[in-house]
């Protein structure tokens, strides 16, 4: 047993629907601009860009329920609803044909973004870390195993704020489907069990304020509801 000079941090984890066991988290990868209309609303051409990735801390993953705190250092907090993929088997240079065999399960999550910090970082040519990787920035529902969901390649993905429609899309609209995302990412880093991948968001992103109730979901997976406080 390894001895440490301080108490070892708790392993971050995500709940599994209907089970007491949890899914341990290693790394969280996020795909940027993976839906055509969202890429266009952010001022980019989706037909010319390969997928790119950024990360969030594993302990930024929290339940997409109850209260979610409004972060410090921002006055422009944005939501982005996403399909989330949980990796059970690692590997490098995974082929697209084999990629789905590496998946443990799926859920729906929200990538929260301090958009004003991101805009300033882009303007100054600096990293996005504080715009994307802050505390509680990755709400997610409990995972569902592949044996229950299959590999969803289509289905409505949506998000509302205070009952008002904000994001509407379909998983089939992803520029890079899950198998391609896994394959491409594994060329850059070795994927390992416990990794999560947030796969991008449809158009309609926008700001929320304290007191807003955010609801959403993915057809065939699950729905969520939480309040910004």
């Amino acid at each position: 047993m390894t001895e440490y000079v301080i108490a070892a941090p708790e392993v971050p984890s995500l709940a599994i629907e209907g089970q007491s066991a949890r899914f341990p988290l290693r790394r969280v990868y996020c795909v940027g601009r993976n839906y055509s209309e969202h890429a266009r609303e952010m001022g980019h051409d989706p037909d010319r860009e390969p997928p790119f990735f950024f990360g969030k801390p594993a302990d930024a993953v929290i339940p997409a329920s109850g209260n979610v705190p409004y972060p410090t250092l921002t006055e422009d907090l944005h939501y982005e609803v996403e399909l989330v993929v949980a990796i059970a088997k690692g590997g490098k240079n995974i082929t697209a044909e084999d990629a789905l065999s590496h998946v443990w399960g799926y859920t729906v999550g929200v990538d929260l973004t301090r958009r004003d910090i991101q805009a300033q970082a882009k303007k100054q040519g600096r990293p996005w870390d504080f715009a994307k990787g802050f505390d509680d920035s990755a709400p997610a529902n409990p995972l569902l195993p592949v044996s229950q969901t299959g590999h969803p390649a289509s289905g409505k993905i949506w998000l509302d704020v205070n009952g008002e429609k904000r994001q509407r899309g379909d998983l089939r609209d992803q520029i890079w489907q899950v198998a391609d995302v896994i394959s491409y990412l594994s060329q850059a880093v070795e994927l390992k069990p416990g990794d999560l991948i947030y796969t991008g968001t449809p158009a309609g992103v926008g700001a929320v304020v304290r007191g807003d109730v955010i609801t959403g979901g993915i057809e065939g997976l699950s729905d969520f509801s939480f309040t910004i406080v």
Side-chain angles (χ1 to χ4, degrees), residues 3 5 37 39 42 54 70 101 107 109 111 139 147 166 171 197 206:
E3 184 178 356
V5 297
E37 291 306 313
M42 300 301 288
F54 57 89
Y70 194 99
S101 71
T107 191
D111 167 14
S147 60
R166 294 291 181 89
L171 297 181
I197 305 173

Side-chain angles (χ1 to χ4, degrees), residues 6-61:
I6 62 171
E10 181 180 350
V11 175
S13 63
L14 183 57
I16 298 170
E17 187 66 40
Q19 297 187 29
S20 59
R22 298 177 65 87
F23 188 86
L25 299 180
R26 175 180 173 267
R27 293 181 180 174
V28 179
Y29 300 99
C30 304
V31 186
R33 298 193 289 265
N34 197 27
Y35 288 74
S36 297
E37 291 306 313
H38 175 57
R40 292 189 180 97
E41 79 175 346
M42 300 301 288
H44 298 271
D45 184 347
D47 298 322
R48 294 184 179 179
E49 297 180 356
F52 75 93
F53 300 86
F54 57 89
K56 289 177 179 277
D59 62 3
V61 178

Side-chain angles (χ1 to χ4, degrees), residues 60 62-63 65-72 74 77-78 112-114 134-139 208-212 214 226-229:
I62 61 170
S65 60
N67 294 330
V68 172
Y70 194 99
T72 59
T74 185
L77 178 67
H78 280 214
L112 294 175
T113 303
R114 295 195 277 206
F134 53 92
D135 297 341
D136 307 314
S137 62
V208 290
V209 298
R210 293 170 181 83
D212 281 347
I214 301 178
F226 59 86
T227 303
I228 300 295
V229 297

